[in-house]
Amino acid sequence: MAKKSKIAANERRKEVVLRHAARRAELKETIRTGTPEQRARAVRELGRQPRDASATRVRNRDSVDGRPRGHLTRFGLSRIRFRQMAHRGELPGVTKASW
């Protein structure tokens, strides 16, 4: 189980990303298509935004216990939790392969 503070920090980052997403998209579009002066202004403003406003700062974590490694996006679980739940039959449509 991950530390509660790490899980809380990650949730806080998700909120910050959502809050700044629209403005960041505008600035990035300006950087792609604007004039050199507009680009410079957009780069400066993008640099003034909080670091946690970038979506790459959010860490994928297990939805049950917060484990940060071995995350399976399709299920929102870590590899260990996925295996446990699959063996217990708690994941609909998931069966153990055998050959």
Side-chain angles (χ1 to χ4, degrees), residues 36-90:
E37 297 83 25
Q38 290 173 333
R39 287 179 182 176
R41 201 173 313 118
V43 167
R44 277 195 304 275
E45 188 174 339
L46 196 60
R48 282 196 303 264
Q49 287 197 338
R51 280 187 174 185
D52 284 346
S54 174
T56 58
R57 301 270 293 192
V58 176
R59 180 80 184 200
N60 287 328
R61 290 185 173 269
D62 186 321
S63 59
V64 177
D65 66 359
R67 180 181 165 82
R69 306 270 177 114
H71 183 264
L72 302 174
T73 304
R74 183 172 176 186
F75 298 96
L77 301 169
S78 68
R79 62 186 175 80
I80 297 167
R81 179 73 50 187
F82 173 79
R83 186 169 188 271
Q84 291 171 350
M85 291 178 77
H87 279 300
R88 289 190 302 239
E90 296 176 0

Side-chain angles (χ1 to χ4, degrees), residues 1 6 12 29-30 32 34 42 55 58 66 70-71 80 86 93 95 97-98:
M1 173 103 187
K6 291 289 189 180
R12 195 170 48 248
E29 184 60 29
T30 302
R32 261 193 302 279
V58 176
H71 183 264
I80 297 167
T95 57
S98 60

Side-chain angles (χ1 to χ4, degrees), residues 2-17 19 52-54 57-59 61:
K3 289 171 49 175
K4 300 282 187 194
S5 60
K6 291 289 189 180
I7 295 170
N10 201 48
E11 292 302 317
R12 195 170 48 248
R13 280 189 196 105
K14 287 180 184 177
E15 293 170 7
V16 173
V17 166
R19 195 171 347 143
D52 284 346
S54 174
R57 301 270 293 192
V58 176
R59 180 80 184 200
R61 290 185 173 269

